[in-house]
Amino acid sequence: MENKPGIDTICVHSGDVEDITYGGAVSPIYTATAYAYAAGANNPYPRYFNSPNQMNLAKKVARLEGAEAALIFGSGMAAISSAMLSVLKTGDHIIIQNQIYGGTRNFIQKELDTFDISFDYFNDENEIEGLIQKHTKLIYLETPSNPLLELVDLKKIAKIARAHKILTMVDNTFASPINQRPITLGIDIVIHSATKYLGGHSDITAGAVATSEKLLQPILLKARNFGGSLADQTTWLLERSMKTLNLRVQKQNHNAQQLAEYLEAQEWIDQVNYPGLKDHPQYELAQSQMSGFGGMLSFKLSAEVPAQSFLKNLRLIKDVLSLGGVETTMLSPSLTSHSLLSDKERAEQGISSQLLRLSCGIENYEDLVLDIQQSINNIE
Ligand SMILES: *Cc1c(COP(=O)(O)O)cnc(C)c1O
């Protein structure tokens, strides 16, 4: 047998901090902000991203992503901003997928502009080559996208980027490393909002970057200057959460697949968006680049169902923001994540007020269906 641990073993054990004082079974938390000075050594200091808990959890993330190295951040946006600003400088140009997380979009439009970094959005990946300029440094992607679960072809885009010596960065938050490992498809840098699946219990704000040793160095230097590190107590909590990452995500995948199939069969629903459905326009691409289809889906209620009453009637499924937790949640993108877009922009992107986004938790599927059924039955 090959000596290669399985995914659950990696989740549980990779990057353990060994308790050499007491021999405890779990990682101790090192909360020190002052460590003995050693000349020439990588002296730990939490803002340097090199405390024992930070360094060890980074190994778990890197291992899961198939990356050489990783860094743990105080939030997904700390990871995104530090990584972007470490590879970009004044005068550079970036190519960005149109459907990306609102906070990232805001960062690009508000912050990068002050560095005279220009950008172009693409809707279709076939537009990418035509958008490349002499100073294009980065292609920024997010797949599957929010809230329509559209995919971009990571292998194909990585190949185009390499041919032009352009770096690629993927926000892998929605898929999690359980369902998608962009680095194994040729992508250079992977970003996570660990607030979502990696944390998985809706109680931690954190972020991560995974990449090669070589690309990590400039990101580390920037990150130390920007100061967006994660406190060791929270780093430890994130480590504990990640021990069950595969178990949780497998159950979330399962619930999402079953719910997508259930919803698709209901006559009060016009459309279900889930990469695991055979009639998803990119089902084949999903099969080739994802090892699971994820816990996120969205669906469009037919015109006669009032979306707000449907949401309000839910008892088990929570109408709350955010995603990736063990509890199933539902929200209206047009009122939340995409509320700042104009009606015209939302219409162009296919985000109507009848569209709802579902983040599947780990509850029993049958209870989730019962909740949806009672909600629809109780609409006056
Ligand atoms: C939440 C989220 C982010 C931002 O992460 P924070 O932890 O809130 O800073 C980035 N990308 C995606 C896809 C997200 O869902």
Side-chain angles (χ1 to χ4, degrees), residues 93-95 131-138 165-166:
H93 172 254
I94 60 179
I95 298 173
L131 293 172
I132 294 174
Q133 302 178 9
K134 204 165 141 232
H135 300 293
T136 305
K137 281 283 158 56
L138 179 69
K165 297 198 164 44
I166 296 169

Side-chain angles (χ1 to χ4, degrees), residues 71-134:
L71 289 176
I72 307 298
F73 285 82
S75 70
M77 285 313 302
I80 290 167
S81 54
S82 299
M84 277 209 197
L85 287 173
S86 76
V87 300
L88 297 168
K89 60 176 192 323
T90 300
D92 284 345
H93 172 254
I94 60 179
I95 298 173
I96 309 155
Q97 191 178 325
N98 203 356
Q99 300 252 352
I100 53 166
Y101 178 71
T104 311
R105 202 182 173 96
N106 200 45
F107 170 76
I108 290 166
Q109 292 179 348
K110 298 271 158 59
E111 309 300 335
L112 293 189
D113 194 48
T114 62
F115 295 94
D116 279 328
I117 295 166
S118 57
F119 48 86
D120 279 302
Y121 288 104
F122 72 89
N123 282 304
D124 182 318
E125 63 204 29
N126 294 320
E127 297 164 16
I128 292 177
E129 249 179 317
L131 293 172
I132 294 174
Q133 302 178 9
K134 204 165 141 232

Side-chain angles (χ1 to χ4, degrees), residues 122 125 128-129 132 139-141 152-170 181-189 289:
F122 72 89
E125 63 204 29
I128 292 177
E129 249 179 317
I132 294 174
I139 300 176
Y140 188 89
L141 310 165
V152 293
D153 188 333
L154 294 178
K155 222 177 198 168
K156 185 168 134 191
I157 297 173
K159 209 167 154 194
I160 295 171
R162 293 221 159 162
H164 291 86
K165 297 198 164 44
I166 296 169
L167 288 173
T168 45
M169 211 179 271
V170 172
R181 292 175 198 85
I183 285 173
T184 65
L185 301 168
I187 294 296
D188 297 303
I189 301 167
Q289 76 181 14

